[in-house]
Amino acid sequence: QVQLVESGGGLVQPGGSLRLSCTASRSIFITSTMSWYRQAPGKQRDLVASITPDGNTYYADSVKGRFGISRGSAENTVYLQMNSLKPEDTAVYYCQAAVVGSGWTNTRWGQGTQVTVSS
C-alpha cells in the first residue's frame, strides 16, 4: 500500500526552480514530522528539510535561503519549493513521514523523485 506519493521532479537549468509535492493519508499527515531527503549517485541519503506538525522547520545549511518547506493541511501535502537550483542539487529526492514516541520511531518513505539540474 502506497502511503506517500511524491511528484514534481524533473530537469531544470541552473538558477531555475522546482516544487516537489508529497501527499499522505490524513492520519499520517497530521501526526508526522514530514521531511525531504536526497541521495546523489554514490552518496548517502541526507536530510534536506523538515517540518513538524505545528510548523517548526529545519533546513540543511546547503539549502538555507534557497529552499522552503511547507504543509498544505487541506491537501495533506508537504511541499518543497526549490529556488536558485545548482548542479549539486541533482539527486533523487525522497519524502519521509516520521512519528516519534517514547523509545520508538515509525517512519514511512515515498518512492523518490528525480531532480536534475543541468544546462
Side-chain angles (χ1 to χ4, degrees):
Q1 180 181 0
V2 177
Q3 296 179 308
L4 300 177
V5 180
E6 300 157 354
S7 62
L11 173 64
V12 64
Q13 293 186 341
S17 298
L18 282 175
R19 189 178 77 159
L20 305 183
S21 301
C22 172
T23 300
S25 66
R26 183 66 179 168
S27 61
I28 292 174
F29 183 79
I30 62 174
T31 59
S32 300
T33 291
M34 303 296 293
S35 301
W36 288 96
Y37 285 73
R38 66 186 180 187
Q39 187 168 22
K43 296 189 176 181
Q44 66 181 23
R45 189 175 296 187
D46 292 325
L47 176 63
V48 175
S50 62
I51 185 166
T52 64
D54 55 0
N56 294 316
T57 58
Y58 163 85
Y59 295 95
D61 287 343
S62 59
V63 306
K64 282 181 181 176
R66 300 189 297 124
F67 289 12
I69 190 169
S70 60
R71 299 173 75 103
S73 295
E75 311 88 53
N76 300 329
T77 299
V78 61
Y79 302 99
L80 184 68
Q81 179 66 44
M82 304 186 294
N83 300 323
S84 302
L85 282 161
K86 305 175 181 179
E88 51 263 44
D89 294 318
T90 295
V92 178
Y93 284 70
Y94 296 91
C95 177
Q96 183 206 63
V99 178
V100 180
S102 177
W104 59 269
T105 301
N106 187 320
T107 59
R108 297 173 175 88
W109 291 93
Q111 78 282 5
T113 185
Q114 177 70 47
V115 172
T116 302
V117 184
S118 175
S119 56

